[in-house]
Amino acid sequence: MTAVPTITLNDGREIPQLGFGVFQIDPDETAEATSTALRIGYRHVDTAQMYGNEAGVGEAVRSSGLARDDVWITSKLNNGFHEPDAARRAFDGTLEALQLDHVDLFLIHWPLPTLYGGDYVSTWKVLEEFQRDGRARSIGVSNFQVAHLERLAREADVVPAVNQIEVHPYFTNEQVRAYGEEHGIVTQAWSPIAQGQVLDDETIGEIARRVGRTPAQVVLRWHVQRGDVVFPKSVTPSRMEENFALFDFELTDDDVTAIAALDKGEPGRTGPNPDEFDYVPD
Ligand SMILES: NC(=O)c1ccc[n+]([C@@H]2O[C@H](COP(=O)([O-])OP(=O)(O)OC[C@H]3O[C@@H](n4cnc5c(N)ncnc54)[C@H](OP(=O)(O)O)[C@@H]3O)[C@@H](O)[C@H]2O)c1
């Protein structure tokens, strides 16, 4: 098995570039799916309070026999808990659900700029507390646009280690990625295969046939060669294995450019626009 590379974050910690995403995995099936992923070799799991399945992730990691330090665990603050005391309570809930004493990375899931008077800065300062007390080893944000990152740069002390944003061949999100690259913020590409929507693409199919790999592997390899972190989700063991086998082939620079040229701009976005998104779960 070829080792998964790590990327050094701006706080000096090393994150595995490939992980396992658990969005939309049923809470009752999460422990089993995560255990399978860990057996295949994944050492990085991306969950969130909003997914309702942190407990299954914690169970799988604790029962894996792996040392805690050998598995990277990310979770995210639920929308609706941005006020400082609510964020503190919610984070206690994450550690309780995971049954662990720390996470490797904790993120503000969405900036929610139209709620809370647009104050994601106070929320960020609470994540700075979690990092100081050691319960979140690294801290970052998700779905932050350039303006949101610029405001944190002006008003907060810690630069986010990562920004987890929608990125795939039909929505390459270059401006936000470029801001991250210039400011030492690693991009994590969510929905890296656009939940399957890019897999029938003609250009991707041609490259896949030439390199003798599947379209999913080509797209995931494209992210890796661009330097982003990815964590494809699958509940299908054969796909988990397929998505893990990315480090024994390479795309040419022309392939990388051709896939990036599939970008459709805003119409290619599959998820909500972070400037407008204001969903708060009941
Ligand atoms: N921060 C955020 O706001 C945010 C938003 C969305 C996602 N995320 C994170 O990013 C992770 C990945 O994104 P995602 O779950 O939205 O989508 P994704 O990983 O792009 O795609 C997952 C879908 O593709 C299918 N699939 C997986 N591997 C495949 C393969 N090799 N061939 C064909 N189909 C395949 C899966 O089906 P099966 O499961 O049926 O195999 C599933 O339906 C999430 O799990 C979550 O951790 C974060």
Side-chain angles (χ1 to χ4, degrees):
M1 186 198 312
T2 317
V4 172
T6 58
I7 292 186
T8 306
L9 303 177
N10 62 16
D11 57 15
R13 301 188 66 243
E14 305 235 335
I15 186 169
Q17 195 179 6
L18 173 65
F20 180 63
V22 298
F23 177 43
Q24 291 175 330
I25 301 186
D26 190 296
D28 292 339
E29 293 166 15
T30 302
E32 193 188 330
T34 306
S35 295
T36 305
L38 294 172
R39 267 197 304 280
I40 288 168
Y42 291 84
R43 293 292 180 266
H44 166 180
V45 185
D46 186 89
T47 182
Q49 293 170 353
M50 219 185 300
Y51 306 166
N53 57 16
E54 291 167 307
V57 170
E59 189 185 326
V61 172
R62 281 181 285 104
S63 66
S64 66
L66 293 164
R68 173 66 188 87
D69 284 353
D70 289 342
V71 186
W72 182 284
I73 301 176
T74 298
S75 193
K76 317 184 189 87
L77 180 69
N78 207 345
N79 293 353
F81 295 83
H82 276 213
E83 283 169 355
D85 278 340
R88 291 183 188 104
R89 276 198 308 279
F91 184 61
D92 289 346
T94 277
L95 296 181
E96 172 89 30
L98 288 164
Q99 292 280 297
L100 295 172
D101 64 2
H102 72 275
V103 291
D104 293 281
L105 177 62
F106 196 65
L107 310 179
I108 298 180
H109 205 150
W110 289 89
L112 306 178
T114 64
L115 301 179
Y116 304 105
D119 181 16
Y120 41 78
V121 178
S122 304
T123 315
W124 177 248
K125 291 187 175 176
V126 177
L127 266 65
E128 293 181 351
E129 270 173 39
F130 303 155
Q131 186 176 38
R132 276 196 301 275
D133 70 25
R135 294 185 302 153
R137 299 275 159 92
S138 297
I139 53 173
V141 293
S142 178
N143 299 300
F144 272 45
Q145 304 277 58
V146 170
H148 307 140
L149 297 169
E150 284 173 336
R151 179 158 169 215
L152 285 190
R154 284 194 305 273
E155 298 181 32
D157 295 325
V158 177
V159 177
V162 308
N163 186 19
Q164 184 176 131
I165 54 174
E166 180 175 349
V167 183
H168 48 72
Y170 290 165
F171 185 66
T172 59
N173 218 339
E174 297 302 354
Q175 279 180 322
V176 184
R177 288 183 73 248
Y179 181 95
E181 200 168 332
E182 280 160 32
H183 295 85
I185 302 168
V186 167
T187 294
Q188 300 189 315
W190 65 247
S191 291
I193 57 172
Q195 301 200 336
Q197 290 176 43
V198 297
L199 301 182
D200 294 328
D201 186 273
E202 189 65 25
T203 302
I204 292 167
E206 272 169 30
I207 296 171
R209 279 190 292 281
R210 176 161 42 76
V211 299
R213 294 293 176 138
T214 67
Q217 288 173 320
V218 165
V219 174
L220 294 169
R221 178 71 206 182
W222 171 78
H223 286 285
V224 165
Q225 285 186 216
R226 281 156 48 97
D228 292 352
V229 172
V230 279
F231 22 79
K233 170 265 176 186
S234 179
V235 291
T236 315
S238 59
R239 288 175 171 173
M240 292 184 205
E241 290 195 28
E242 176 185 333
N243 298 344
F244 194 70
L246 305 181
F247 302 103
D248 56 353
F249 75 105
E250 262 188 74
L251 303 177
T252 64
D253 290 347
D254 284 350
D255 293 337
V256 173
T257 305
I259 296 173
L262 300 173
D263 181 33
K264 301 175 198 268
E266 262 322 295
R269 206 190 264 286
T270 63
N273 184 326
D275 287 318
E276 294 156 12
F277 191 53
D278 60 1
Y279 168 74
V280 171
D282 294 335

